Amino acid sequence: MSTIADRIKEICAQKGTSMYKLEKQLNLGNGTIGKWGKNGRQPTYDKAVAVANALGVSTDYLLTGEQKEKPASEEAGFHPTPEGSRRFLQISRFL
C-alpha cells in the first residue's frame, strides 16, 4: 500500500519535478512531504489542498490513492479554496 508521500513522489516524477522543489514552491520545510504517511503523520488540510493544486490532482487521490467522481459543484466550475472552506464552516455554525 502506497503512502501519500509515495503518491506525491510518483506524481512529481511524472511531471518532471521533485518533492524538494515542490516543498520549496509551497514553503514547506525540507523533508516535510517525505514524513507524511510515516508513523501516522498526515498533512494538514491546507497543505493537502496546496499540494494537490500544485500537482493538478484531487485531494481524494492524494490522500487515498483513489480517484473519485467530481462533485457537481466542481463540474459547475466551483473550486473551493482553503480560506473559503474555513469561512463556510465558520458561517455554517450560526445557521
Side-chain angles (χ1 to χ4, degrees), residues 47-89:
K47 289 177 183 173
V49 170
V51 170
N53 287 340
L55 295 175
V57 298
S58 70
T59 52
D60 286 335
Y61 178 74
L62 198 64
L63 297 171
T64 67
E66 298 177 11
Q67 186 64 43
K68 298 182 181 174
E69 289 186 35
K70 291 182 179 180
S73 61
E74 197 170 312
E75 289 290 337
F78 174 73
H79 301 283
T81 63
E83 180 57 35
S85 297
R86 274 194 298 278
R87 184 74 181 127
F88 172 78
L89 291 173

Side-chain angles (χ1 to χ4, degrees), residues 21-43:
K21 289 179 183 176
L22 182 62
E23 288 169 339
K24 291 297 179 194
Q25 175 187 345
L26 299 175
N27 295 317
L28 300 175
N30 189 22
T32 297
I33 294 173
K35 294 175 186 173
W36 294 342
K38 295 179 182 176
N39 299 321
R41 291 184 180 198
Q42 294 294 323

